[in-house]
Amino acid sequence: VPAHQLELALPPLPPADARRPAQAPDAAAGAAADQAGSPHLKLSPLARAVLFRLDAEQVHHLTLKLFHEFPALATAPFCQTVAADPVTLMGLRFPNRVGLAAGLDKNGECIDAWGRLGFGFVEIGTVTPRSQPGNPKPRMFRLPRQQAIINRLGFNNKGVDYLLDQVRASRGRYA
C-alpha cells in the first residue's frame, strides 16, 4: 500500500496550538497527478484540510470509529490492487511484506478495514488485562514539516476480553 494512501487514515497533523488549514506538502505533484485522474489525490487535500482543523487524537478516534463501523471506507474511493509479494517466515505465509504494527488499533476494532487496505499482516492491540485510560492528554502531537506525529498515548485500551471479542467478530482469516 503506497504511503500516500495511508495519509487519509492517519495524516501528519499540526499541533493543537498551530491549527490551520493546510495543503499537502506535495501540492504541485498532487495537482499533476489529479490531471492524470487519481481519485485519491483529488480527495486528499480536502480531507487533509478538514482533518487538520481537529485535534490529532480526535482524528485518530474518528478514523478508527469510521473504519470499525464501515470497513469498506478503507478502500473507497481509491481502490487498487495490492501487488502479490508473498513471503514465508517461521512457517507462516504472508500475502505481502507490508504489515501494520501494534498500537494503531489498540482494541482490534478495525481488523477488517486493515485487511481491505492490503496489509500482509496486522498486529492489533497494546492490550492489558483490564481496561485503562493511558497517559494524560494531550498525548498526540503533530510535526507537519517532518510529516510525522508523536504518539504518547500509552496503554489506553478496553482490555483483553474486549479485544478477543473483536477478533472473534472479524470477517477475515486470522491466525
Side-chain angles (χ1 to χ4, degrees):
V1 176
H4 70 272
Q5 270 191 283
L6 301 178
E7 180 180 6
L8 282 177
L10 293 171
L13 303 170
D17 60 350
R19 286 187 203 144
R20 65 193 184 317
Q23 293 293 326
D26 57 347
D34 281 350
Q35 293 171 356
S38 169
H40 168 72
L41 291 175
K42 289 178 185 172
L43 178 63
S44 181
L46 174 61
R48 185 178 169 106
V50 170
L51 295 175
F52 268 51
R53 291 189 173 113
L54 301 174
D55 172 74
E57 190 167 350
Q58 288 176 327
V59 172
H60 175 74
H61 290 297
L62 174 65
T63 302
L64 291 177
K65 185 171 181 65
L66 287 171
F67 278 1
H68 176 70
E69 297 295 326
F70 309 102
L73 287 177
T75 51
F78 41 82
C79 300
Q80 73 182 61
T81 304
V82 176
D85 184 21
V87 62
T88 301
L89 183 63
M90 298 190 301
L92 296 173
R93 181 176 167 85
F94 300 96
N96 63 62
R97 301 163 191 267
V98 179
L100 180 66
L104 177 66
D105 185 4
K106 294 174 184 267
N107 296 304
E109 295 173 325
C110 304
I111 296 170
D112 294 322
W114 306 135
R116 292 176 69 97
L117 279 171
F119 287 106
F121 61 93
V122 175
E123 296 178 352
I124 56 169
T126 297
V127 67
T128 55
R130 287 182 282 247
S131 176
Q132 63 181 43
N135 290 329
K137 296 178 182 182
R139 53 194 183 181
M140 290 183 83
F141 307 91
R142 300 170 176 134
L143 303 172
R145 288 187 185 138
Q146 292 82 8
Q147 296 186 2
I149 192 161
I150 295 173
N151 170 353
R152 294 185 185 150
L153 291 170
F155 289 169
N156 56 308
N157 70 91
K158 295 179 181 177
V160 69
D161 291 333
Y162 181 85
L163 180 123
L164 290 173
D165 289 343
Q166 297 305 301
V167 172
R168 288 184 198 105
S170 68
R171 294 186 178 124
R173 250 184 31 199
Y174 308 100

